Amino acid sequence: AYVLLRRNKLAESVRAAEKAVALDAKDETAYYILGTTFLRLGKPEAALENVEKTISLNPKFGSAYLLKAHAIMNRGVETK
């Protein structure tokens, strides 16, 4: 999922991260990748939901707090 995200293949990244979560519901990295990808897709609410899951699984995941701030700042500018 991360490689797909880096290659800007966002829809594929979402699918891969969702598969990772289906295999391991405690994979905080997969939720973080989902959050990052949804934010890049212009879906801050979905990003926020996933990053909050990341933080609940690992409160020491520092980058997740920055992603959460970005998602909150982008609320109200969601694109279709």
Side-chain angles (χ1 to χ4, degrees), residues 28-39:
E28 73 261 14
T29 303
Y31 285 106
Y32 179 79
I33 291 169
L34 279 169
T36 302
T37 306
F38 281 128
L39 190 60

Side-chain angles (χ1 to χ4, degrees), residues 21-80:
V21 166
L23 292 171
D24 181 3
K26 294 184 179 184
D27 184 348
E28 73 261 14
T29 303
Y31 285 106
Y32 179 79
I33 291 169
L34 279 169
T36 302
T37 306
F38 281 128
L39 190 60
R40 289 192 43 197
L41 285 167
K43 299 178 184 290
E45 293 298 332
L48 188 58
E49 178 182 324
N50 283 283
V51 76
E52 286 178 343
K53 184 67 175 176
T54 300
I55 292 167
S56 74
L57 290 168
N58 181 357
K60 294 182 180 182
F61 199 128
S63 299
Y65 292 94
L66 181 59
L67 180 61
K68 182 177 180 177
H70 282 279
I72 289 169
M73 288 174 39
N74 283 289
R75 279 180 160 170
V77 291
E78 194 154 320
T79 59
K80 303 289 179 206

